[in-house]
Amino acid sequence: MKKISNEYWMEMALKEAEKSYLDDEVPVGAVIIMDNQIIGKGHNMSILKNDPTSHAEIEAIRDAYQNQSNYRLTKADIYVTLEPCTMCYGAIIHSRIENIFYGTSDLKSGVCGSCEDFSLKKYLNHKPKITGGVLAENCSKILKEFFKEKRV
């Protein structure tokens, strides 16, 4: 089976981010891939759900484990438009997701190298491989547009 490109999957995550944008949420989207198929997808819904844990990654993980009937998502990859925060990285670890691919860095709360690099923490029992910068410009653009509109 031929592997589909990281850019293709990030485009799918961007489609999720657009849903957040339309809901007036910070536009972040995520998809979880296993065997070249989307098994989970999500976008920011914290305001809509009145739930601070409803980040894109968490929503995608919840969708994936329900679709897989398993809370362990070994052999899965997550594509997220914005570098994960502490909470989301923790959920990724507990889910045993193998790879994190993110679009743009989060200089305020990213823990995949921007503010902190959790992959270097010896006390964490699972270490997903991290690849940043996948379609970074596109992922950054939707966030910039959203916040520009908020400042008007």
Side-chain angles (χ1 to χ4, degrees):
M1 179 178 351
K2 185 180 176 192
K3 185 177 183 324
I4 298 172
S5 74
N6 292 334
E7 291 77 15
Y8 174 82
W9 294 124
M10 192 60 75
E11 286 287 348
M12 299 299 104
L14 277 163
K15 287 183 182 200
E16 287 298 310
E18 289 170 11
K19 293 176 185 177
S20 293
Y21 194 106
L22 294 173
D23 287 337
D24 206 29
E25 298 264 5
V26 176
V28 179
V31 293
I32 298 177
I33 310 306
M34 188 183 292
D35 297 325
N36 276 338
Q37 292 184 26
I38 294 175
I39 62 166
K41 52 188 174 179
H43 54 278
N44 276 359
M45 297 184 2
S46 294
I47 297 167
L48 191 67
K49 288 187 167 185
N50 199 27
D51 179 355
T53 69
S54 288
H55 287 196
E57 299 95 322
I58 304 294
E59 292 297 318
I61 289 168
R62 288 174 178 155
D63 189 39
Y65 72 64
Q66 296 216 341
N67 289 331
Q68 296 297 300
S69 298
N70 191 343
Y71 74 105
R72 296 286 195 218
L73 302 173
T74 56
K75 308 233 188 289
D77 301 330
I78 188 166
Y79 290 80
V80 59
T81 59
L82 182 65
E83 179 181 0
C85 69
T86 302
M87 174 184 68
C88 293
Y89 194 91
I92 290 166
I93 288 171
H94 290 292
S95 301
R96 301 299 191 265
I97 289 173
E98 196 168 307
N99 295 290
I100 299 170
F101 297 91
Y102 71 88
T104 193
S105 297
D106 184 349
L107 302 177
K108 292 184 179 180
S109 62
V111 297
C112 294
S114 292
C115 296
E116 181 68 69
D117 190 344
F118 278 17
S119 70
L120 301 176
K121 302 299 180 191
K122 291 180 178 14
Y123 58 83
L124 296 174
N125 64 342
H126 176 68
K127 304 225 185 286
K129 183 178 175 203
I130 301 169
T131 304
V134 181
L135 296 182
E137 191 173 312
N138 301 37
C139 295
S140 177
K141 183 180 176 186
I142 191 170
L143 286 161
K144 287 178 181 173
E145 287 175 9
F146 177 80
F147 287 112
K148 184 179 177 184
E149 286 178 15
K150 290 289 175 198
R151 291 184 186 102
V152 174

